[in-house]
Amino acid sequence: MTVTTVVGAQWGDEGKGRIVDYLAQEAELVIRFQGGDNAGHTVINEYGKFALHLVPSGIFNAGTRCIVGAGTVVNLDTLLTELADLEAAGVETSQLFIDERAHLILPFHRQLDGAEERARTGDWAVGTTKRGIGPTYADKSGRHGIRVGELLDPAWLKERLEQLVLRKNRELAHFDLRPVSVDELLALCAGWREQVGGRIVDTLPLIREAVKAGRDILLEGQLGVMRGLDWGIYPFVTSSSPTAGGACVGAGIPPRAIDEVLGITKVYATSVGGGPFPTELEDETGERLRQVGGEYGATTGRPRRCGWLDGVALGYAGWINGFTGIAATKLDVLDSFEELRICVGYRLGQEVLRHVPTTRVQEQVEPIYEAWPGWLADTTDIRRWADLPGNAQRYLRRVEELAGAPLRYVSVGPEREQLIVL
Ligand code: GDP
Ligand code: IMO
Ligand code: MG
């Protein structure tokens, strides 16, 4: 009976979705606490293969209530498409609710996301997913965003939209984009009200009751700390906090109610988008990791940048989040590599750094590696720790040491059951 936060320990795409899908079999509640449909959480189970963008990865368990939490930003069109796809695959979705405090992504947010990216010159593109995430969170913190619950009150919504449209049309004009009218936004919102109105609720009473009753609750993070707004590689980051602290704020759960923080890390590293990535391999080995690991974006299809595990970044993730355990994913991807490397420090001129510096400095560092022997054996059918090759066990123990928290799960393939529980 625990409240467990599941967070990305790297630059995103660590395999959070597959771990949440597994853990949710026992959970009463699964809450997505930040981000929006920029997420691509791949789940493979008896219903098929899914890339979930907004729906929590606990949706496959009919007994689990799923919440799109207060800290998220929601594109109701993509949510509706996602729900339709799940229902077509036979998944029950009636227990999916959206917190009324979540913010609405409107069509112009996506347009502005694209326009702002195009306006970034040189190496300054963030490489966003163009889902409107940044502009929507900017409106939220600027205090002119629209909350999902405001859809339910047309008169109130109209006044709020009038305020917003005044500002947004100035911005749209700046980028030579078509202005929006309050009427067209009201019509869009009326359609959404009709289709999802019944799912928009104050989720806090449900959450509070579940916490007080000691139910199993999972908080599902999006992305990873290295692309988090405060502690990531700013400005090459998303606009919310994908950390255990962010989970409390975004879900509405007090810090002291969190029992476990599970950090998810691949046994190597990937990153999508701009910014520093010290262990990146722009050579054959990087290409091999990409091919064997199938490292292409679940949301955008972009090839992911690949490299060796960054133990410095992993230790940083452990501190920021306060991991109580870790899950190491994609072990099988390394099965055919003769020699592996783990970054254990950054060289900056004559200096050796053992911590993650700020972006400006991280751009200049060179990784310091430890070499590890590979295991050259197929691990995909292994289900017990004791059956793993010795070299794989030793490699994983080093990962655990660098993360500063005990290894709880090792995944050896993308399917739900391809998991070793320690
Ligand atoms: P998330 O965003 O953190 O949920 O991760 P993604 O779904 O974006 O990326 C993880 C990718 O790795 C997906 O394609 C998964 O199907 C796949 N995957 C997850 N765990 C494993 C594993 O243990 N082995 C292999 N080969 N693939 C895995
Ligand atoms: P999951 O949840 C990997 C990256 C983008 C870009 C930066 C900001 O599947 O791990 P945004 O659209 O959020 O404004 O983009 O963050 N990014 C992701 N990278 N996985 C994701 O989600 C991502 N969501 C955003 O590439 O660099
Ligand atoms: Mg992903």
Side-chain angles (χ1 to χ4, degrees):
M1 303 288 190
T2 57
V3 180
T4 302
T5 304
V6 177
V7 288
Q10 299 174 301
W11 291 258
D13 302 329
E14 298 90 349
K16 299 173 291 292
R18 59 108 62 225
I19 297 290
V20 171
D21 170 60
Y22 178 85
L23 297 176
Q25 296 175 94
E26 304 290 325
E28 174 122 341
L29 264 186
V30 179
I31 310 168
R32 264 285 305 273
F33 57 83
Q34 42 73 233
D37 61 337
N38 50 346
H41 292 181
T42 313
V43 171
I44 305 177
N45 58 26
E46 75 268 23
Y47 288 100
K49 178 175 178 178
F50 304 85
L52 296 174
H53 300 299
L54 205 50
V55 173
S57 305
I59 195 74
F60 303 96
N61 191 28
T64 303
R65 190 171 272 165
C66 285
I67 291 177
V68 179
T72 62
V73 289
V74 181
N75 181 327
L76 289 173
D77 279 336
T78 55
L79 180 68
L80 283 164
T81 306
E82 202 170 328
L83 287 172
D85 290 348
L86 287 163
E87 283 157 18
V91 180
E92 164 68 47
T93 69
S94 65
Q95 289 303 301
L96 183 281
F97 297 97
I98 310 159
D99 192 87
E100 59 185 2
R101 300 169 188 82
H103 275 247
L104 263 189
I105 299 181
L106 290 162
F108 58 77
H109 288 123
R110 287 174 78 130
Q111 286 178 289
L112 288 170
D113 193 354
E116 283 170 7
E117 270 291 87
R118 285 190 295 276
R120 293 182 182 113
T121 57
D123 291 331
W124 292 100
V126 178
T128 77
T129 58
K130 300 199 173 69
R131 297 297 172 111
I133 306 299
T136 306
Y137 276 115
D139 278 351
K140 173 181 172 176
S141 55
R143 295 160 297 184
H144 26 262
I146 307 288
R147 286 175 149 191
V148 174
E150 294 181 279
L151 275 186
L152 303 177
D153 183 340
W156 170 280
L157 178 66
K158 181 165 183 285
E159 287 194 34
R160 297 283 341 281
L161 283 172
E162 280 165 359
Q163 296 298 308
L164 180 64
V165 160
L166 278 176
R167 300 178 154 270
K168 290 295 125 174
N169 279 345
R170 285 201 294 269
E171 251 177 82
L172 289 164
H174 171 78
F175 289 113
D176 287 325
L177 292 167
R178 185 183 70 81
V180 285
S181 73
V182 172
D183 285 346
E184 72 184 277
L185 293 176
L186 279 172
L188 183 66
C189 290
W192 285 339
R193 180 162 58 244
E194 185 131 317
Q195 295 174 82
V196 293
R199 297 184 189 269
I200 302 170
V201 297
D202 179 359
T203 62
L204 202 61
L206 302 175
I207 294 169
R208 201 164 44 208
E209 207 173 292
V211 172
K212 282 188 171 169
R215 308 271 188 234
D216 281 320
I217 301 174
L218 288 173
L219 308 181
E220 178 177 359
Q222 185 265 328
L223 252 180
V225 62
M226 294 309 296
R227 288 206 189 267
L229 183 59
D230 295 282
W231 297 100
I233 48 173
Y234 192 91
F236 306 97
V237 293
T238 196
S239 300
S240 63
S241 184
T243 61
C248 295
V249 177
I253 294 192
R256 288 173 61 192
I258 308 283
D259 301 293
E260 302 282 348
V261 179
L262 187 66
I264 317 296
T265 178
K266 282 178 195 175
V267 292
Y268 51 97
T270 66
S271 172
V272 193
F277 182 33
T279 64
E280 180 169 18
L281 297 167
E282 290 175 285
D283 60 5
E284 276 163 38
T285 311
E287 187 53 33
R288 200 166 142 210
L289 282 170
R290 187 173 305 112
Q291 294 312 326
V292 181
E295 296 297 354
Y296 293 88
T299 296
T300 59
R302 286 180 290 178
R304 294 174 179 152
R305 299 161 70 188
C306 296
W308 296 120
L309 184 79
D310 186 336
V312 181
L314 186 58
Y316 178 78
W319 166 256
I320 296 285
N321 288 291
F323 294 158
T324 60
I326 63 163
T329 61
K330 306 194 84 160
L331 183 76
D332 56 298
V333 175
L334 300 184
D335 284 354
S336 64
F337 286 76
E338 247 165 60
E339 195 192 69
L340 310 168
R341 282 166 189 235
I342 298 179
C343 167
V344 294
Y346 295 149
R347 195 174 305 286
L348 179 71
Q350 299 303 308
E351 250 184 293
V352 173
L353 307 183
R354 300 284 174 190
H355 63 273
V356 174
T358 185
T359 312
R360 185 174 50 79
V361 177
Q362 207 186 10
E363 284 280 12
Q364 305 165 45
V365 303
E366 290 294 330
I368 299 169
Y369 287 118
E370 271 175 10
W372 286 80
W375 41 93
L376 300 176
D378 183 349
T379 58
T380 54
D381 291 325
I382 294 176
R383 298 290 176 272
R384 297 187 324 165
W385 172 262
D387 297 335
L388 281 172
N391 282 352
Q393 291 183 354
R394 284 182 282 278
Y395 182 86
L396 288 165
R397 288 298 178 207
R398 183 65 173 134
V399 175
E400 175 180 56
E401 194 172 46
L402 290 163
L407 184 63
R408 295 275 168 72
Y409 304 93
V410 178
S411 81
V412 291
E415 294 181 24
R416 186 189 271 179
E417 301 309 328
Q418 288 184 293
L419 196 69
I420 297 168
V421 180
L422 275 82

